[in-house]
Structures are given as structure tokens and as C-alpha cells.
């Protein structure tokens, strides 16, 4: 470090001091665990005894671990089941609740948003009752529906969270219900960020509502869609509480996603090194996918 | 700001930060009044037991000031972090009995052998064995969970079922089918969901005198006992009279107050849940002994239980031991824990006390305490290992897959054994299931 740089730092020391709390806190609670976790991925450690260096063994085991792949596959399936309908509903709600003609918009927005700030324990309690095979609301509604059908089919009792076939769709329904509000709010912010000038010009040119939507709203909402996609991708991969309290990954491992896999490896099996290796591998994949998604943000034709 | 002032500011920041870091450990040092300050971690019901007994402890040992910190059962993560970092652990802590083997080998718990060995024969050996490692004692058993079947008297009386006539699980299921038919499907026998088979399997495996691991830690699941346990579970799953309800889920808890479920086969500590959740049902409950798998078979099993122990980093070893000794090895204290909070003592010398023969009005004056203490010495203990939690997870996952899909015993055993063998790196027991049963 030359003396001129030192001099400049010393002269501006107050500014460095003012921004230092963030860097100190980030260093302790962000960077250090990140680095330590990376180091741990080369160790075998149960949290109580001394860590043992095992080189790339954790990574080698990981690539031959069927439960790891199963958890990733479950994560992808659950993501595909809930993200498209959630985005669709969130966008529809955002468009409707962005309409100035609707009264009490604030109340409706709050109503849609409330599920994502409701504690998961409460949600689990209610949804487990909804999904009950014995006297659950969903099965009762199916029974009611069947009773109205002229040919009178016997109502099926769906084992919502107690069968491998239904555990993932059941989680997807809950996730759509829980996270639509959050995405609606993001999309509402995106819609409100679009200048009204575009719509006024379009109206002058005689554009229909659908043409406005297709040629103005949707293209200009692309950055917000990308943001929501990245958040949903991260949320799906590291999702934990919904799965933990609803199905605990079961029956079998039919609904074990990556977040729960990581938790089990860390805090049930106490294999911190292995869990760190898995976390780093998946984080790398997520990072690459995020880069691809971000690339989509750039306007067409740009390199 | 001068250079001096700047340096002073940075110094103050560092001192402040280090003060924050040291805050936790200050609580463990001696109080200003010369008394030894002990920090004790325990959870909900058990914590309340210690709180109740703490005043008596302080009278007995006025020189010790013990402070109870009530945690959740997730205390393990917090405890582990403090043990790893070498600071912040309490002087005394509780953890679940199944976790004891993992902590015993860690070298981070205090060796209690010198003080505790004299009490060895006073405790249930099914629990004491979890507290020892290589002949040294690292924890003291607290409560145990002998099992029985809690039932609702009004239902049994209405459908003329005699609980004393239920000797085997087949009798039990027949009674359940009778109740189900006579109530037109309104009342089911018990709750058993595919995701919650673990507890029932553990009960049945003990009754079948099987084991997950043999006494050398080898995988012993491939045994006739496992098949017997699964066969019983299969009869339940195939019956209409079993409610697909999660144990301790919202429907399970609310069923204490209605007639949807007639029986609850579980450990003695379920009593405190029923009393707490449905106190108005007092007098309508009864308990009968676990039915056997076969006529004349074992009618006892245990579930749950916890231990009290001392982390090695404590600065007050003797005071901490006095606390553990007072709370765990003292008949009066242990009886009070049971009397007031339904924690069944692992200290078996308490069984001679007349309290065990008192009638309990909650169970229509039935002498349930004596019932739970019956044949405790015949309990077939399951060998716990340091990786029990992981093994138990594989068991639970494969049981739920077994229950919801194939119900093929051989496939369950093959999958579970293979998973344990590769992930836990444990050998298979050469004569799995044929070893001599281990009794107390």
C-alpha cells in the first residue's frame, strides 16, 4: 500500500468508520460462516468430536447418494407444481387489484398478502385439518360435489398428506396459497412502475385491452417476473418449514425436498461436513441457473 | 477528531463487543453473595418439576443458588453449540435418553462415575445403560415411559368391552372392530397414520424382543421379531377401525374430548397431555396393560425418557452434582415429579412407596401408577447407539413407505438394513434376531 493511499484512507477514516458496522457484522455472521462451511465440506464432523479432514470424500459420496438426487427431484417437481399457478394467480390478482375502479383495494391486497406473514405453525394446524382423511374439509367438499352429480359416484377419500402420490400436490396447494400474496405484491409494484404514458398512447392508437397487455404490460413486467422467478427458485430449493411441519418429507421420502434433506443431514444425522458439501454443490447449481435467468432480463439482441 | 480520540473510540468499540461476547458466561460464575450460582437447562414439563423442587434444594443447600432456564426440546442444537465453543453451556442440563450415547462418547460431559456408581442399582437398567460408556457414568436417568393403553370408560361401557379381557393385540383389534360396528363407524379404536408408525413399531419391537442394533452396535433388524412387529402393524392398517390421524396432531388432541377415538396406546407421559388438554374428562379414563403380541408374551415396553447431566466445562462440578443428586437420586423429589407432573421415575426404588398404590381420580380411582410399574424388570431394552437419531429416521421413512405402498415386510427389512449399513457404516449382526434377549 503506497503512502498516498494510506494518506487517503486516513483522511477519510470517518467514512470508513461509519460504514464499518455493516462490514463487521457481515464478516462475522455472513462471510465467516460461508468460509467455515466451505472448509467443513472437506471434513467429517459430528458437531461434538474433533473434525477429521476427508478431502473430497463428502463430494464423492454425495454424487452417489440416491436420497440426495431424490430430494432434488422432489424439489423440482414441487417447484413445477406450484410456481406456474402461483405466478398466474399472482399476476391476475395484481392486475385486478391495480384497477383504480375497485373499491377497498387495500383490504383485498392485505387479504391476499396475509398468508405469507402468518406463522407456519398456525398454517400447518389449519391445513392438516383441511387435509385430514377422517373429517377434512377438502374430502368433505369432494363428497359434497359427488353428491350433486347425477350418476352418484362414490366419493373418493383422498389421503392428501399420507400417500406418496398426493404429498407433493398437497404441499403445492399450500405453497400457492401461502406465497401468491407475496408475488402479487411484487407484481403490483411492477405494474405501478409502468408509466401511464404508454397506455395513453396505445389508447390513442386504438389498442384493445388485450393488445395493451400483450405489447406493453407483459414486456415491461419482465424484470419483475425475473426477480420473482429468482426468489421462487431460491425459496423452492431452500424451502423448509412448510415441508417439515406438514409432511416431514414423507410418506417415505416422497416429499423430502433439498431444504429438509439438508436439515436432516445437519441436525438429525449430525453430518455437518456432508451437509456443507451438499449445500455448496446445490448453491453452485442455483448460482448458474440464476445467471441464466438474469441473462433473460437483457433485451433481445443484446449479447 | 484527534488520533487519540479516534483510538479511544475504537478501543471502546472493541471492549464493548468483547463484553457482549462474554455476557453469557458471566451467569455461571459465583454470585456476589458468595453462593455458587448454577445454571440449569430443562424443558417444559420437566423444567416445571425442577422449578417446584428448586426451593427444597435451596433449603438443603443454601450455599448454592440454582437458576432454572426452561428451554424447548430443541435444546440439543443450543447445547451442542455451547459444547463445541467451550463456553456458554449450563452447569446442568437435560436431554433425551436416546441422545445420551452420542454425548457420552464426546468427551464433553463430566465423568460422574465416582459419585454416581453407588446409585446404579436404584435405577431401571434399561435407562442406566444409556448413561454409561466404557464403564464410566456420564448422566443420570430421570424419567421413563412405561407404556399402556389409555381408554375412555364411557365407550367401553357403552359397547360392553371388558378391558381386562384384552390380552393380545388380536383381542384389542377385535374389540375395536366391535366398537366401530356398533357405533356405525362413529368411533374408531385408535389413531395410526402412516407417518406415525415409529412409536408403535418401537413398542412392538420391544414386545417381540427384537432390536435395531445388537449389543455390539451391529444392525440386528433382520429378525423374526421385526417381522412379528410388522405383522401386528399390518393388521391395524388393514382394519377399518383405525383412524388415519397423526399422533399429537390437532385431531388427535381434540379427540380426547369426544368419542371419535376410544384408545391411545402410548407411554405413561400421555397422561399429562390428556390432563392438560382435557381436564374436564377427568373420571372417564382408564388404562389397561399393553396387549401382548402372542398369548403369554411381554406386556411391557418403554418410550421416551430423559436424563440429567453435567457438561465438563462447568466450573462448579460438586455443586452441579449435588443438584443432580438431589433431583434424580432422591425418592421424595422423584415421587413429587410423578405426583405433580406425571414424570414416571426411572428411580425404581420409589416403586415401594404407598403413592404407587393410591387411587387416581382422573382414572376413576384406578391404581394406574402400580399398573405402569408392573413387570418393569421384564422390559426388553433397545440398544441405543450414537447415531440412533439417524437410524430412527431411516426406520420412520421406510415404515411410512411400507405402510402407504407395498406392506412387504421383506422389502422393508432389506431397504432399511441396506440404508443403515451404507450410511451408518455398521456391520450386520451375524445371527440377527437370534441373540439371547437382553433383560434387566
Amino acid at each position: 500500500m503506497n503512502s498516498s493511499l494510506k494518506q487517503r484512507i486516513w483522511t477519510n477514516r470517518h467514512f470508513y468508520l461509519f460504514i464499518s458496522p455493516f462490514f463487521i457484522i457481515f464478516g462475522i455472521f455472513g462471510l465467516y460462516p460461508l468460509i467455515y462451511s466451505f472448509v467443513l465440506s472437506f471434513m467429517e464432523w459430528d458437531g461434538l468430536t474433533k473434525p477429521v479432514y476427508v478431502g473430497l470424500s463428502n463430494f464423492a459420496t454425495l454424487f452417489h447418494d440416491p436420497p440426495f438426487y431424490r430430494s432434488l427431484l422432489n424439489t423440482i417437481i414441487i417447484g413445477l407444481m406450484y410456481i406456474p399457478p402461483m405466478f398466474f394467480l399472482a399476476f391476475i390478482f395484481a392486475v385486478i387489484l391495480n384497477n383504480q375502479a375497485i373499491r377497498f383495494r387495500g383490504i383485498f391486497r392485505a387479504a391476499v398478502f396475509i398468508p405469507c406473514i402468518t406463522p407456519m405453525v398456525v398454517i400447518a394446524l389449519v391445513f392438516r385439518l383441511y387435509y385430514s382423511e377422517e373429517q377434512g374439509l377438502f374430502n368433505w367438499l369432494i363428497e359434497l360435489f359427488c353428491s350433486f352429480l347425477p350418476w352418484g359416484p362414490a366419493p373418493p377419500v383422498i389421503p392428501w398428506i399420507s400417500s406418496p402420490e398426493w404429498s407433493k400436490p398437497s404441499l403445492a396447494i399450500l405453497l400457492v396459497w401461502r406465497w401468491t400474496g407475496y408475488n402479487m405484491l411484487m407484481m403490483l409494484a411492477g405494474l405501478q412502475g409502468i408509466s401511464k404514458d404508454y397506455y395513453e398512447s396505445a389508447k390513442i392508437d386504438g389498442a384493445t385491452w388485450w393488445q395493451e397487455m400483450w405489447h406493453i404490460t407483459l414486456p415491461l413486467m419482465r424484470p419483475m417476473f425475473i426477480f420473482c422467478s429468482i426468489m421462487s427458485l431460491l425459496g423452492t430449493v431452500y424451502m423448509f418449514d412448510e415441508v417439515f411441519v406438514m409432511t416431514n418429507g414423507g410418506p417415505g421420502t416422497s416429499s423430502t425436498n433439498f431444504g429438509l434433506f439438508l436439515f436432516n443431514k445437519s441436525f438429525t444425522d449430525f453430518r455437518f461436513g456432508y451437509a456443507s458439501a451438499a449445500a455448496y454443490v446445490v448453491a453452485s447449481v442455483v448460482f448458474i441457473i440464476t445467471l441464466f435467468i438474469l441473462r433473460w432480463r437483457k433485451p433481445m439482441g443484446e449479447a | 477528531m484527534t488520533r487519540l480520540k479516534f483510538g479511544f473510540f475504537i478501543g471502546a468499540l472493541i471492549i464493548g463487543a468483547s463484553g457482549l461476547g462474554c455476557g453469557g458466561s458471566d451467569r455461571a460464575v459465583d454470585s456476589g453473595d458468595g453462593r455458587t450460582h448454577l445454571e440449569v437447562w430443562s424443558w417444559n414439563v420437566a423444567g416445571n418439576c425442577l422449578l417446584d423442587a428448586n426451593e427444597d434444594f435451596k433449603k438443603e443447600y443454601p450455599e448454592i443458588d440454582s437458576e432454572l432456564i426452561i428451554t424447548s426440546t430443541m435444546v440439543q442444537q443450543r447445547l451442542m453449540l455451547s459444547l463445541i465453543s467451550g463456553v456458554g453451556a449450563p452447569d446442568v442440563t437435560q436431554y433425551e435418553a436416546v441422545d445420551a450415547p452420542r454425548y457420552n462418547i464426546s468427551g464433553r460431559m463430566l465423568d460422574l462415575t465416582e459419585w454416581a456408581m453407588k446409585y446404579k442399582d436404584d435405577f431401571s437398567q434399561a435407562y442406566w445403560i444409556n448413561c454409561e460408556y466404557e464403564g464410566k457414568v456420564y448422566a443420570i436417568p430421570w424419567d421413563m415411559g412405561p407404556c399402556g393403553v389409555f381408554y375412555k370408560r364411557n365407550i367401553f361401557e357403552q359397547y360392553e368391552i371388558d378391558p381386562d379381557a384384552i390380552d393380545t393385540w388380536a383381542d384389542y383389534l377385535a374389540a375395536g372392530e366391535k366398537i366401530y360396528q356398533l357405533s356405525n363407524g362413529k368411533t374408531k379404536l385408535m389413531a395410526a397414520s402412516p407417518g406415525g408408525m415409529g412409536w408403535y413399531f418401537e413398542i412392538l419391537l420391544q414386545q417381540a424382543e427384537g432390536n435395531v442394533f445388537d449389543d455390539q452396535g451391529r444392525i440386528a433388524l433382520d429378525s423374526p421379531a421385526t417381522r412379528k412387529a410388522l405383522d401386528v402393524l399390518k393388521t391395524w392398517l388393514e382394519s377399518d377401525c383405525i383412524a388415519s390421524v397423526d399422533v399429537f396432531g390437532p385431531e388427535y388432541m381434540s379427540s380426547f374430548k369426544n368419542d371419535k377415538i376410544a384408545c391411545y396406546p402410548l407411554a405413561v407421559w400421555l397422561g399429562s397431555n390428556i390432563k392438560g388438554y382435557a381436564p374436564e374428562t377427568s373420571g372417564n379414563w382408564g388404562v389397561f396393560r399393553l396387549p401382548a403380541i402372542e398369548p403369554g408374551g411381554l406386556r411391557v415396553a418403554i418410550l421416551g425418557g430423559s436424563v440429567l447431566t453435567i457438561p465438563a466445562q462447568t466450573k462448579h462440578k460438586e455443586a452441579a452434582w449435588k443438584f443432580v443428586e438431589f433431583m434424580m437420586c432422591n425418592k421424595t423429589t422423584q415421587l413429587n415429579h410423578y405426583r405433580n407432573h406425571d414424570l414416571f421415575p426411572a428411580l425404581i426404588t420409589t416403586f415401594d412407596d404407598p403413592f404407587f398404590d393410591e387411587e387416581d381420580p382422573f382414572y376413576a380411582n384406578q391404581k394406574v401408577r402400580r399398573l405402569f410399574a408392573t413387570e418393569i424388570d421384564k422390559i426388553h431394552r433397545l440398544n441405543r447407539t450414537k447415531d440412533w437419531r439417524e437410524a430412527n429416521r431411516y426406520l420412520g421413512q421406510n415404515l411410512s413407505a411400507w405402510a402407504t405402498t407395498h406392506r412387504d415386510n421383506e422389502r422393508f427389512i432389506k431397504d432399511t438394513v441396506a440404508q443403515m449399513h451404507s450410511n451408518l457404516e455398521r456391520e450386520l449382526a451375524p445371527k440377527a434376531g437370534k441373540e439371547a434377549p437382553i433383560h434387566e
Side-chain angles (χ1 to χ4, degrees), chain A residues 13 17 46-48 128-129 132-135 162 164 251-253 264-265 267-272, chain B residues 1 9 77 80 84 102-103 108 188 243-246 251 260 389-390 393-394 397 400 404-405 423:
Chain A
R13 62 191 182 279
L17 186 66
D46 67 358
L48 283 177
R128 283 165 78 108
L129 288 173
S132 167
E133 275 177 66
E134 295 295 317
Q135 287 169 325
S162 55
T253 52
N264 283 336
K265 283 292 162 199
F267 296 108
T268 306
D269 305 351
F270 301 106
R271 296 176 185 268
F272 292 106
Chain B
M1 191 189 281
F9 183 76
Q77 279 86 334
M80 213 168 64
I84 298 161
R102 180 174 135 70
Y103 286 101
R108 295 178 192 270
K188 293 193 173 180
S244 180
V245 165
D246 287 334
E251 283 177 291
K260 285 173 187 158
R389 293 238 175 223
E390 186 175 355
R393 184 165 70 79
Y394 298 139
Q397 282 176 350
S400 66
T404 51
T405 54
N423 292 349

Side-chain angles (χ1 to χ4, degrees), chain A residues 10 13-14 17 20 24 36 44-50 61 65 67 70 124-126 128-129 131-136 161-165 244 246 248-253 256 261 263-272, chain B residues 1-3 6 9-10 13 74 76-77 79-80 83-84 99 102-103 105-108 188 193-195 242-251 260 386-387 389-391 393-394 396-398 400-401 404-405 419 423-425:
Chain A
W10 179 248
R13 62 191 182 279
H14 307 103
L17 186 66
S20 64
I24 293 168
Y36 191 66
E44 191 177 296
W45 189 43
D46 67 358
L48 283 177
T49 50
K50 209 176 168 186
T61 311
D65 187 8
R70 211 172 302 135
L125 196 77
V126 174
R128 283 165 78 108
L129 288 173
Y131 283 142
S132 167
E133 275 177 66
E134 295 295 317
Q135 287 169 325
I161 51 173
S162 55
S163 82
E165 293 80 20
F244 183 70
M246 286 303 296
N248 196 18
T253 52
T256 302
F261 171 85
F263 176 84
N264 283 336
K265 283 292 162 199
S266 306
F267 296 108
T268 306
D269 305 351
F270 301 106
R271 296 176 185 268
F272 292 106
Chain B
M1 191 189 281
T2 63
R3 185 184 294 240
F6 184 68
F9 183 76
I10 292 293
L13 203 69
M74 298 297 274
Q76 183 151 232
Q77 279 86 334
L79 177 66
M80 213 168 64
L83 292 177
I84 298 161
D99 291 322
R102 180 174 135 70
Y103 286 101
I105 63 162
S106 68
R108 295 178 192 270
K188 293 193 173 180
S193 69
I242 306 296
S244 180
V245 165
D246 287 334
V247 175
F248 290 114
E251 283 177 291
K260 285 173 187 158
K386 69 181 174 70
D387 43 21
R389 293 238 175 223
E390 186 175 355
R393 184 165 70 79
Y394 298 139
Q397 282 176 350
N398 287 309
S400 66
T404 51
T405 54
Q419 211 169 8
N423 292 349
L424 307 181
E425 295 173 358

Side-chain angles (χ1 to χ4, degrees), chain B residues 166-178:
Chain B
I166 296 175
D167 291 327
T168 63
W169 287 111
D171 298 339
Y172 173 72
L173 197 61
E177 275 161 4
K178 185 178 171 188

Side-chain angles (χ1 to χ4, degrees), chain A residues 58-76:
Chain A
N58 285 330
F59 293 93
T61 311
L62 188 69
F63 290 123
H64 296 94
D65 187 8
F68 170 66
Y69 289 110
R70 211 172 302 135
S71 74
L72 289 183
L73 184 67
N74 286 340
T75 306
I76 292 167

